Amino acid sequence: DYMKFVQELERYLAAELTLERVEQYPVGRLGDIEVHFVHYNSWQEAKAAWERRKARVNWDRILILSTDRDGFDEQVFEQWKALPYPKLLFTANKKYSNHPDSLDFPQYEELGCVPDLIPKREFYKDDVLINKVNAIGGRFNDSVS
């Protein structure tokens, strides 16, 4: 669903978010895709956060972040490369790591993909992520404030 979402951002951000179900966290629906709000305890909290974030989208300064987890394969990689936005892929797979918009984590090559990088903040190590995002940010139109 993530790739479908980022391929048609305007369509999905214009869609009404509805409650699909509640598991350990709320799960919403935007048309034909699900949105998992894993960091929220209630539907009300998740929907309010969604509306705030949606209102802050700056169409001139979009950066798509992705990982090579959860079914990321050659077909998804081709779709990802074709996205019309600046993008950054966190990967442990040599097939994808040579792409200029990839950030390689070779220590996870045996896993076949990057794990959840947030707990250890590994993507901040040595300012690698910040430097990469700043380089990508140079592609944005400088006239936009």
Side-chain angles (χ1 to χ4, degrees):
D1 284 356
Y2 180 71
M3 190 55 63
K4 284 173 68 173
F5 175 73
V6 296
Q7 286 175 316
E8 296 187 61
L9 276 175
E10 289 186 55
R11 173 181 161 218
Y12 287 113
L13 290 176
E16 181 181 349
L17 178 66
T18 59
L19 176 63
E20 176 76 11
R21 65 185 178 279
V22 175
E23 299 172 348
Q24 297 89 359
Y25 52 82
V27 177
R29 179 158 291 281
L30 292 169
D32 61 340
I33 66 170
E34 287 186 349
V35 182
H36 292 249
F37 293 96
V38 296
H39 301 291
Y40 297 95
N41 296 316
S42 73
W43 171 244
Q44 293 76 16
E45 183 184 9
K47 181 146 184 171
W50 176 260
E51 295 300 327
R52 277 193 316 274
R53 290 185 172 133
K54 189 169 83 167
R56 291 190 337 236
V57 171
N58 179 337
W59 291 102
D60 296 316
R61 299 185 65 80
I62 291 176
L63 172 64
I64 305 296
L65 299 177
S66 187
T67 69
D68 60 356
R69 291 174 34 190
D70 302 325
F72 195 95
D73 59 15
E74 289 290 334
Q75 180 181 357
V76 175
F77 185 56
E78 292 303 316
Q79 293 171 341
W80 178 84
K81 289 190 308 186
L83 290 172
Y85 304 105
K87 54 198 160 290
L88 183 57
L89 174 67
F90 301 130
T91 185
N93 191 319
K94 292 290 183 206
K95 292 188 289 188
Y96 313 133
S97 64
N98 290 329
H99 191 277
D101 294 330
S102 292
L103 188 54
D104 189 27
F105 290 86
Q107 66 270 36
Y108 299 114
E109 188 173 2
E110 287 184 21
L111 292 176
C113 65
V114 293
D116 184 354
L117 297 172
I118 292 175
K120 295 182 183 178
R121 302 289 194 249
E122 291 179 63
F123 50 81
Y124 289 124
K125 186 178 180 184
D126 301 323
D127 292 332
V128 172
L129 175 63
I130 292 168
N131 293 335
K132 190 78 163 181
V133 169
N134 284 339
I136 292 169
R139 297 182 215 167
F140 292 122
N141 182 343
D142 290 331
S143 66
V144 177
S145 56

